[in-house]
Amino acid sequence: MKHIILDSERHQSEVISTMRFPLIAMIVMFHLYPPEQTIATPYASYNIIATFFSAHGIARLAVPAFFLISGYFFFYHLKEWNKTVYAEKIRKRVSTLLIPYLLWNGIPILGIILVRLLIGMNSGDSLNSIKEFGDSIGWFRAFWDGGTAGGHPFDVPLWYVRDLMVCSVCTPIIYFLLKKFGIVTIFIIGCLFLTNTWIDVAGLDVRACFFFSFGAYLSINNANIVCICRKYAVIIIPLSIVLLIVTTYFFTSLGGGKIFFDNLFLLLGVGSLIGGFSLLVDYKVIRNVPFLTKSVFFVYAFHVFPLPGIMSVTAFFKKLTGNFIVETQEMTYFIQLIVAPTAVLGCCLVTYFLMRRTMPKLLSVLTGQR
């Protein structure tokens, strides 16, 4: 593989930075309309459009894209690999991943315990109330999988951070396999990913392992991830669109092959996203907005952040807009596909802005000093 040249490296940095906020917007859409939910509407064409943008469609590409990027930048510009390098990278991720992870999960849990303690003081039932809550979330397992195999932490989206931390800890193994067996390692993990042949253990998601390792492979071999995706965009974008249509609207006819085609769409779709953003950045259709890029981790952790007795911002707007099926089909599109995600993102950004102004040190810790 050719070494990265200065201009292509600068373009890669710009493209990936520009992608980050749109990817978070896709995650917000995913949580507004998860796979198991059909948006209630009498309009068949609306369901088709909503499905295209929701967790059934392109929104499912966001998390694999983040894993790919994370794996790539873990080994970015790596000159050598030894215990010192590994220890330094893990040390950095304590502040950028572990501490925020513990805080975003721990603060709401502590808040709920305190509320139950105060409420229970009047009835003398505080301990039972707290025990009941603790049992329901699995106590300390709420920081990992909520007490269920393959589950999620208390702040649900942070399962990505959990799995990313596991991948980071396992990088000596990943590095050894990639250096020893090269592309064969990616091929094997890729086959396991495409067929979903994996163990159901929280923290070891097959998407995380494959995309993180694939990103690591490209980085270790000095490949420019954006240039590669741009080069093959003319092939992978049409294929991704076909796979999106097939897996979204004809999934019932796929039978047992649905998982394979779903995962193949994720693989090609992530490449299409990167290649597509490269084109958009090149033609100056979009550009990086530093404020939005810096807010990404906060929006990610906050948009479904559970507080004692208060709905998360996503749950609130999901419930509110679910009632807005109006007589005009176009207005229904506008309210549920544009207004709801924009409102959620807007509330998150306003909160981020206010915290940056009033409590920057706390915000810095919560966002891993980003």
Side-chain angles (χ1 to χ4, degrees):
M1 294 185 181
K2 295 181 179 180
H3 287 281
I4 299 172
I5 60 175
L6 182 60
D7 287 344
S8 62
E9 189 171 3
R10 186 184 299 116
H11 177 67
Q12 174 176 260
S13 177
E14 185 179 1
V15 169
I16 291 177
S17 294
T18 304
M19 285 180 63
R20 291 184 185 275
F21 190 78
L23 288 177
I24 281 299
M26 290 165 64
I27 290 176
V28 168
M29 183 70 80
F30 188 103
H31 290 134
L32 274 168
Y33 309 116
E36 66 273 10
Q37 175 188 340
T38 300
I39 303 173
T41 171
Y43 306 119
S45 60
Y46 173 82
N47 277 326
I48 293 174
I49 295 173
T51 298
F52 181 81
F53 287 102
S54 72
H56 288 283
I58 60 174
R60 53 188 156 140
L61 296 175
V63 169
F66 274 125
F67 276 123
L68 183 75
I69 293 169
S70 297
Y72 186 84
F73 281 103
F74 191 97
F75 293 97
Y76 193 53
H77 286 172
L78 181 71
K79 294 181 180 179
E80 62 176 333
W81 181 259
N82 53 46
K83 292 180 180 179
T84 302
V85 172
Y86 174 66
E88 178 61 19
K89 287 183 175 292
I90 294 300
R91 184 193 66 78
K92 288 181 179 179
R93 278 152 184 80
V94 169
S95 60
T96 59
L97 296 176
L98 179 59
I99 292 176
Y101 179 84
L102 294 175
L103 289 175
W104 283 104
N105 284 296
I107 290 172
I109 292 174
L110 179 60
I112 293 173
I113 290 175
L114 290 174
V115 168
R116 290 193 172 220
L117 178 63
L118 293 173
I119 293 175
M121 288 176 67
N122 295 327
S123 61
D125 198 32
S126 296
L127 294 180
N128 285 336
S129 178
I130 293 172
K131 183 179 184 302
E132 180 184 307
F133 168 67
D135 291 340
S136 70
I137 62 173
W139 288 103
F140 287 108
R141 289 190 67 174
F143 287 87
W144 192 256
D145 60 6
T148 60
H152 50 72
F154 198 69
D155 190 356
V156 177
L158 292 185
W159 72 265
Y160 161 79
V161 175
R162 176 198 65 196
D163 286 34
L164 182 56
M165 289 190 293
V166 172
C167 287
S168 299
V169 170
C170 293
T171 46
I173 299 173
I174 294 172
Y175 182 83
F176 170 78
L177 292 174
L178 292 177
K179 293 298 286 185
K180 183 73 174 179
F181 303 106
I183 193 65
V184 175
T185 301
I186 300 303
F187 177 78
I188 292 173
I189 302 175
C191 288
L192 294 174
F193 161 69
L194 290 173
T195 58
N196 201 36
T197 306
W198 204 253
I199 54 176
D200 187 18
V201 176
L204 291 174
D205 186 87
V206 65
R207 288 170 297 172
C209 184
F210 172 65
F211 282 100
F212 184 93
S213 298
F214 196 8
Y217 170 79
L218 294 172
S219 187
I220 289 171
N221 288 280
N222 296 316
N224 186 305
I225 194 170
V226 171
C227 287
I228 290 176
C229 293
R230 171 75 171 269
K231 179 180 179 181
Y232 296 104
V234 67
I235 299 173
I236 59 177
I237 290 178
L239 284 175
S240 298
I241 293 172
V242 171
L243 283 169
L244 175 60
I245 294 171
V246 170
T247 57
T248 302
Y249 305 120
F250 303 102
F251 64 90
T252 54
S253 61
L254 294 176
K258 184 179 187 308
I259 291 176
F260 174 82
F261 287 105
D262 271 341
N263 290 337
L264 184 60
F265 166 69
L266 294 182
L267 174 59
L268 296 181
V270 168
S272 297
L273 272 183
I274 297 173
F277 269 95
S278 175
L279 290 167
L280 293 175
V281 169
D282 241 4
Y283 288 99
K284 303 187 185 305
V285 177
I286 57 174
R287 63 185 180 86
N288 179 38
V289 180
F291 172 78
L292 296 180
T293 302
K294 291 179 180 179
S295 72
V296 164
F297 189 90
F298 180 84
V299 174
Y300 168 72
F302 181 74
H303 75 282
V304 294
F305 187 58
L307 290 170
I310 303 175
M311 283 185 178
S312 70
V313 62
T314 296
F316 174 77
F317 282 105
K318 183 176 176 181
K319 181 178 180 180
L320 182 64
T321 57
N323 299 324
F324 280 90
I325 305 298
V326 296
E327 294 181 2
T328 308
Q329 183 176 358
E330 290 77 11
M331 185 58 69
T332 300
Y333 292 167
F334 181 72
I335 291 173
Q336 291 199 326
L337 287 178
I338 305 298
V339 174
T342 302
V344 172
L345 289 170
C347 287
C348 291
L349 290 174
V350 168
T351 305
Y352 174 78
F353 174 79
L354 292 175
M355 288 190 68
R356 197 164 77 162
R357 284 294 184 90
T358 59
M359 47 188 78
K361 290 184 178 179
L362 174 60
L363 180 64
S364 178
V365 174
L366 287 172
T367 57
Q369 300 175 12
R370 290 173 174 83

